[in-house]
Amino acid sequence: MKNKTNFAKSKVSSRRRFIKSLTAINLLPFIMSTTVNADSTKPVRSTNTFAVPPLASGKRSGKTVNFNLKLGVSQTQFFKGVNTATLGINQSYLGPVLRAKRGDKVRITVENQIGVGSTLHWHGMMLPASMDGGPHQEIKNGESWVSEYEIKQEASTLWYHSHQMHQTGAQVYYGLAGLFILDDDDSHQLGLPHEYGVDDIPCTIQDRRFKRDGNLSYIDSMHDRMMGMEGNTILVNGVVTPVLKAQRSLLRLRLHNGSNARTYQLAFSDERSFQVIASDGGFLAAPVTVKSLRLAVGERIEVLVDVSDRKVVQLQSQQSSGGGMMRMMSGGSEPFTVMTIDAKQVKESAHTIPKTLRAMKAIPDPKDAIKTRQFDLQMGMGMMGGGFRINGKSMDISRIDFEVKRNSTEIWEVRNDSPMAHPFHVHNVQFHILDRNGKKPTQIESGLKDTVLVQRGEVVRIIMTFPEYSDSKIPYMYHCHILEHEDQGMMGQFVVV
């Protein structure tokens, strides 16, 4: 059955040009030496070694830190002897972890060599609209773009990814994404593990689907368009279900959901407890002990895991996706392995789990909000369902939906009238969750956030104070972070004046 969308033909053609440009890089079809079971609903078993992403600290000149990033087309061996066409940033798949600290001025030069237009968006960063890397900052193939801004946020784990209009899903799926770690003067005084790649470990979790020839499969059906692209093979930092040989008895994992659509419910195979210490925008006031946590698309959570028992344990996801009526079609809910931690050879850590972390920023008083806005997340069902909308409108890059005042506080009520859950993301702000259907958020969600999962039938109220940046012409985005929903219209834009 032919897929149908509500896009104009030109938008469909642009996506096809991207896929064609990617495929054209392959010299010849590759003969598989390992069979990839693309029809399996279970992740491919693997004993691959965990890969720590390269750390890019940039070249410092005074308070300015210079980064150079190149978007390119390449090949990656996810399976031994099998070359897969991919996109990467300074490497074959994904990008390096960028690192800077509060007070730094970063200057990031991005060169595009992927064959079609692209962007890099700094997800979770507060910065001028012209530097945001959204759809309005397109980098044409063969050209470069410079994003320059001051880091004004506390220590946190952010990320960056393509935000190309109508092609975000495909470009991120093929590899255009990476983490961005922010430090501050106080973060290393909390007594937390902080040796990069040893006891402070970034973990970008993704699900991907592979064809039998080893290449990635993207959008095979109307189901993929409606629900978002989900795969049957789990990658962590671009490695299939890897094994981490732990070096220290206390590990700090920076968990990042870099998938296109899948929500994970993470827990350890032996049901051990672990501590949540930070959410999207930074540290919580104190560690929160849990045995399981939910991680929606775009979210980041930092956890501490005690592996002093020297066991081998799996980090698993206990459910297949984000829930809702449509998710019943996604398959069973059996746990599947994300990664394995082998702690048999660990050395005793010099760190312990702290009782407190740092005082969080006070939640703005709702009485100080100058406006309350409503956002209805809507999606049609079936071939004639009406597409993906917010407040009845699909994204139009030439339309500004509203304006807000800089340094002002607003409350946004996000209602999900659709049949499935949606992660809602706002550019340029870190917000607090006031309530979910009138109930206060959990301790894990008590910190600063830039992405919140809104379940079907749910109303989530968030409160935010907009930074000082203003630009009456260049907008910021708000959107569902299921990338296929964003690409098909569940996105809007606002300016700060």
Side-chain angles (χ1 to χ4, degrees), residues 244 246 307-313 341-346:
L244 170 65
V307 293
S308 59
D309 56 8
R310 299 175 184 271
K311 293 183 178 180
V312 177
V313 63
I341 298 177
D342 180 350
K344 289 183 292 188
Q345 302 296 324
V346 297

Side-chain angles (χ1 to χ4, degrees), residues 270-282:
D270 61 357
E271 299 184 346
R272 71 178 61 201
S273 299
F274 54 99
Q275 287 69 41
V276 178
I277 60 171
S279 56
D280 296 339

Side-chain angles (χ1 to χ4, degrees), residues 117-393:
S118 188
T119 72
L120 276 189
H121 163 58
W122 319 112
H123 182 121
M125 198 76 73
M126 293 182 285
L127 75 179
S130 61
M131 303 297 167
D132 182 58
H136 291 270
Q137 288 84 53
E138 180 182 12
I139 315 166
K140 295 186 182 301
N141 181 57
E143 296 185 1
S144 297
W145 171 67
V146 176
S147 181
E148 193 168 8
Y149 52 91
E150 183 179 349
I151 304 294
K152 296 186 176 183
Q153 297 164 244
E154 294 183 347
S156 54
T157 302
L158 309 183
W159 68 299
Y160 61 96
H161 60 84
S162 167
H163 212 306
Q164 180 71 1
M165 190 71 175
H166 302 303
Q167 295 184 18
T168 298
Q171 294 192 6
V172 172
Y173 193 80
Y174 279 90
L176 294 188
L179 285 179
F180 200 144
I181 295 175
L182 301 185
D183 300 307
D184 59 33
D185 289 337
D186 300 325
S187 57
H188 286 334
Q189 299 178 15
L190 298 175
L192 296 169
H194 61 265
E195 190 174 352
Y196 183 81
V198 177
D199 56 10
D200 183 356
I201 301 170
C203 302
T204 289
I205 304 169
Q206 300 171 306
D207 58 334
R208 295 292 183 261
R209 188 186 305 163
F210 291 87
K211 300 177 183 178
R212 290 187 178 276
D213 66 357
N215 280 309
L216 288 166
S217 176
Y218 182 71
I219 303 292
D220 293 326
S221 66
M222 179 59 69
H223 180 271
D224 293 339
R225 295 188 188 280
M226 293 298 293
M227 296 180 59
M229 185 65 198
E230 292 188 346
N232 50 35
T233 301
I234 301 299
L235 309 177
V236 180
N237 299 339
V239 179
V240 177
T241 50
V243 176
L244 170 65
K245 297 283 189 180
Q247 299 180 59
R248 299 289 185 271
S249 61
L250 185 64
L251 301 178
R252 176 183 183 178
L253 304 182
R254 298 178 186 256
L255 301 174
H256 161 226
N257 186 343
S259 295
N260 279 39
R262 184 182 296 276
T263 292
Y264 299 91
Q265 188 69 37
L266 299 173
F268 287 97
S269 54
D270 61 357
E271 299 184 346
R272 71 178 61 201
S273 299
F274 54 99
Q275 287 69 41
V276 178
I277 60 171
S279 56
D280 296 339
F283 292 113
L284 304 180
V288 179
T289 300
V290 298
K291 288 192 174 182
S292 177
L293 62 81
R294 183 180 66 195
L295 193 66
V297 177
E299 289 185 312
R300 292 85 60 211
I301 288 181
E302 296 182 36
V303 302
L304 297 179
V305 184
D306 185 342
V307 293
S308 59
D309 56 8
R310 299 175 184 271
K311 293 183 178 180
V312 177
V313 63
Q314 287 76 42
L315 178 64
Q316 298 180 328
S317 182
Q318 297 179 325
Q319 65 181 34
S320 61
S321 49
M325 182 175 68
M326 294 182 68
R327 293 298 182 185
M328 294 173 64
M329 298 184 290
S330 289
S333 58
E334 289 294 318
F336 56 82
T337 296
V338 173
M339 60 182 283
T340 297
I341 298 177
D342 180 350
K344 289 183 292 188
Q345 302 296 324
V346 297
K347 296 180 180 178
E348 185 176 355
S349 175
H351 306 282
T352 57
I353 299 170
K355 293 182 178 180
T356 61
L357 293 165
R358 60 165 43 156
M360 292 188 297
K361 287 186 176 180
I363 299 176
D365 189 334
K367 295 179 181 178
D368 293 333
I370 66 171
K371 191 173 184 63
T372 297
R373 301 182 191 272
Q374 285 79 36
F375 300 83
D376 287 347
L377 308 181
Q378 302 153 336
M379 59 182 287
M381 292 289 289
M383 299 297 289
M384 303 299 291
F388 295 82
R389 310 174 305 279
I390 299 178
N391 292 340
K393 298 178 180 179

